[in-house]
């Protein structure tokens, strides 16, 4: 194991020693095995590198204050991966196989889980068409890999907050496209818009709907939320937005623990400028305050330009449940032994 500087973790690859690999051939998945983290051989004609037939998931393992290993709603990741498999014509994985594989690998890599409070072990399952094909067809062979890396905050500034730009000249995913699943191509499409906003020193893009450029969709790697007068709103899922597991958890917690009124609805981008608080959610992003939202060169400061009080309380509650430090009546905390 390479020495890891637990005090300076960012969101960078620092691979844990072991990875899991399974293959689908002749109509069935094999049992898979844990091997050393390494490169993988792949045909130049593999469907994934020609036609983008691939999916990924993002999960985390947490070290609790009393030293236990925990995950958060991992079965929901298995379900979302399988939804994506249907959309991309790939063979599904049994949920139990997915979970057992993640757990077995986690135990092997457990010394890579950062101490409580220093970061998390990011878990990246990937599933892709590794069989050869020349025409545009689903592959006949698939590979499922899980690798892991200790990480710190996705956005360098962490809970201090981020500055985002709404773009109406680039879209992430159209209606009826693949935005509702974690298809690898969605992220390829977001690289250039991300570069453009970063050149202007914004942290990320806020995408609008591809049909009318009126409604907020999501941030390139996280879901979007706004608060106004005790109502917590997030864009309605309609196939172009990723159904985030953190998104669902925040909607539930906001209603059940904080008596906020949750709304999944179309949010016009102009509404955001006068919101009380704005934030985004995701496994990597956790719950990150959005301090300013710019549009066509005009910067709008949200509230007093500091992380909001409700945002803070929601963050503490979510982290508390993930770390087993606050009551969980939802069955989300998942201990790995
Ligand atoms: N939206 C996009 C585009 C994402 O990549 C992610 C991350 O997985 C999310 C939203 C948040 O999803 P989750 O909360 O399940 O991590
Ligand atoms: C996650 O939050 O796990 C994601 O997949 C976002 C990512 C693109 C880093």
């Amino acid at each position: 194991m390479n020495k890891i500087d637990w005090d300076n973790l960012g969101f960078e690859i620092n691979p844990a020693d072991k990875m899991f690999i399974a293959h689908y051939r002749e109509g069935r998945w094999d049992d898979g095995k844990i091997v050393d983290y390494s490169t993988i051989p792949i045909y130049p004609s593999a469907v994934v590198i020609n036609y983008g037939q691939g999916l990924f998931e993002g999960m985390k393992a947490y070290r609790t204050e009393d030293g236990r290993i925990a995950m958060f709603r991992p079965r929901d990741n298995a379900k979302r991966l399988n939804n994506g498999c249907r959309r991309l014509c790939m063979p599904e994985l049994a949920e139990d196989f997915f979970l057992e594989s993640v757990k077995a690998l986690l135990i092997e890599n457990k010394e890579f889980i950062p101490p409580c409070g220093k970061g998390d072990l990011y878990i990246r399952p990937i599933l892709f068409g590794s069989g050869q094909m020349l025409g545009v067809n689903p592959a006949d062979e698939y590979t499922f890999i899980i690798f892991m890396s200790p990480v710190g905050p996705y956005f360098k500034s962490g809970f201090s907050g981020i500055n985002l730009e709404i773009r109406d000249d680039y879209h992430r995913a159209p209606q009826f496209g693949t935005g509702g699943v974690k298809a690898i191509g969605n992220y390829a499409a977001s690289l250039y818009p991300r570069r453009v906003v970063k050149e202007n020193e914004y942290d990320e893009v806020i995408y609008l709907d591809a049909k009318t450029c009126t409604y907020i969709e999501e941030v390139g790697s996280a879901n979007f939320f706004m608060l106004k007068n005790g109502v917590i709103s997030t864009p309605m899922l309609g196939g172009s937005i990723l159904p985030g597991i953190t998104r669902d958890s925040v909607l539930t917690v906001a209603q059940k623990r904080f008596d906020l009124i949750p709304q999944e609805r179309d949010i016009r981008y102009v509404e955001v400028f006068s919101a009380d608080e704005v934030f985004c959610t995701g496994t990597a992003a956790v719950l990150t305050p959005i301090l300013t939202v710019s549009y066509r060169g005009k910067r709008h400061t949200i509230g007093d330009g500091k992380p909001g009080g409700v945002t803070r309380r929601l963050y503490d509650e979510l982290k508390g449940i993930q770390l087993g430090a606050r009551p969980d009546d939802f069955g989300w905390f998942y201990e790995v032994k």
Side-chain angles (χ1 to χ4, degrees):
M1 176 179 173
N2 290 330
K3 211 168 158 24
I4 295 169
D5 181 1
W6 299 121
D7 292 315
N8 289 298
L9 289 173
F11 199 85
E12 278 124 34
I13 186 71
N14 201 342
D17 284 348
K18 302 288 179 185
M19 68 182 197
F20 178 87
I21 183 160
H23 294 101
Y24 179 94
R25 292 189 185 110
E26 292 172 3
R28 60 173 291 275
W29 284 106
D30 66 20
D31 294 338
K33 57 179 191 256
I34 292 174
V35 296
D36 288 342
Y37 180 84
S38 68
T39 56
I40 50 164
I42 190 152
Y43 289 116
S45 54
V47 179
V48 65
I49 50 178
N50 288 266
Y51 302 127
Q53 193 191 21
L55 289 169
F56 73 95
E57 267 304 325
M59 314 156 81
K60 277 177 173 172
Y62 309 92
R63 180 71 71 180
T64 66
E65 232 169 71
D66 57 5
R68 292 177 293 159
I69 300 171
M71 296 183 68
F72 187 66
R73 306 182 65 174
R75 197 171 279 278
D76 292 313
N77 294 90
K79 290 191 199 310
R80 187 168 64 189
L81 184 72
N82 282 337
N83 276 337
C85 286
R86 290 190 282 277
R87 181 64 178 83
L88 296 194
C89 299
M90 310 209 287
E92 293 178 37
L93 284 171
E95 282 176 28
D96 286 333
F97 174 73
F98 176 93
L99 274 181
E100 292 309 315
S101 312
V102 171
K103 281 196 309 198
L105 185 65
L106 193 49
I107 299 297
E108 286 281 329
N109 282 331
K110 67 174 186 293
E111 72 268 35
F112 287 87
I113 308 174
C116 186
K118 303 275 187 194
D120 314 297
L121 184 61
Y122 190 73
I123 303 172
R124 175 54 65 83
I126 54 177
L127 200 167
F128 54 90
S130 41
Q132 309 185 71
M133 210 52 82
L134 194 55
V136 181
N137 287 302
D140 53 0
E141 292 184 1
Y142 293 85
T143 303
F144 174 57
I145 292 178
I146 310 168
F147 66 89
M148 304 181 167
S149 173
V151 294
Y154 184 65
F155 295 107
K156 275 200 183 68
S157 52
F159 196 83
S160 312
I162 53 177
N163 300 294
L164 303 187
E165 186 176 35
I166 297 175
R167 295 300 296 211
D168 55 13
D169 49 354
Y170 300 103
H171 292 294
R172 181 183 170 270
Q175 199 186 4
F176 312 134
T178 55
V181 299
K182 272 179 94 74
I184 56 177
N186 298 340
Y187 299 82
S190 74
L191 293 174
Y192 186 70
R194 203 162 174 272
R195 173 180 289 176
V196 169
V197 302
K198 280 195 170 275
E199 276 164 7
N200 295 327
E201 300 194 353
Y202 298 109
D203 295 290
E204 252 288 7
V205 186
I206 297 179
Y207 291 98
L208 298 177
D209 74 283
K211 205 167 165 188
T212 69
C213 275
T214 309
Y215 305 106
I216 304 275
E217 292 259 297
E218 60 177 313
V219 178
S221 47
N223 292 115
F224 179 90
F225 278 86
M226 66 167 264
L227 264 144
K228 179 84 182 172
N229 299 333
V231 177
I232 180 164
S233 310
T234 191
M236 207 155 59
L237 301 177
S240 57
I241 298 172
L242 193 80
I245 295 161
T246 324
R247 171 188 181 278
D248 180 73
S249 310
V250 166
L251 281 172
T252 306
V253 160
Q255 181 181 24
K256 302 242 159 86
R257 299 258 164 99
F258 296 104
D259 278 338
L260 295 166
I261 301 165
Q263 284 186 351
E264 296 178 75
R265 64 178 178 91
D266 288 335
I267 300 176
R268 282 176 299 124
Y269 69 84
V270 284
E271 288 181 59
V272 174
F273 306 147
S274 57
D276 297 335
E277 300 183 27
V278 180
F279 60 88
C280 63
T281 64
T283 300
V286 194
L287 202 154
T288 303
I290 299 171
L291 308 180
T292 66
V293 175
S294 299
Y295 180 65
R296 293 191 174 176
K298 186 165 175 5
R299 189 180 284 254
H300 302 264
T301 300
I302 309 298
D304 59 3
K306 299 202 183 86
V310 178
T311 305
R312 175 89 238 178
R313 283 161 58 214
L314 285 167
Y315 173 89
D316 288 344
E317 191 67 21
L318 180 71
K319 285 298 290 178
I321 297 173
Q322 288 175 337
L323 295 176
R326 295 208 180 175
D328 168 20
D329 8 290
F330 313 111
W332 294 341
F333 181 80
Y334 186 93
E335 187 174 345
V336 177
K337 290 187 186 159

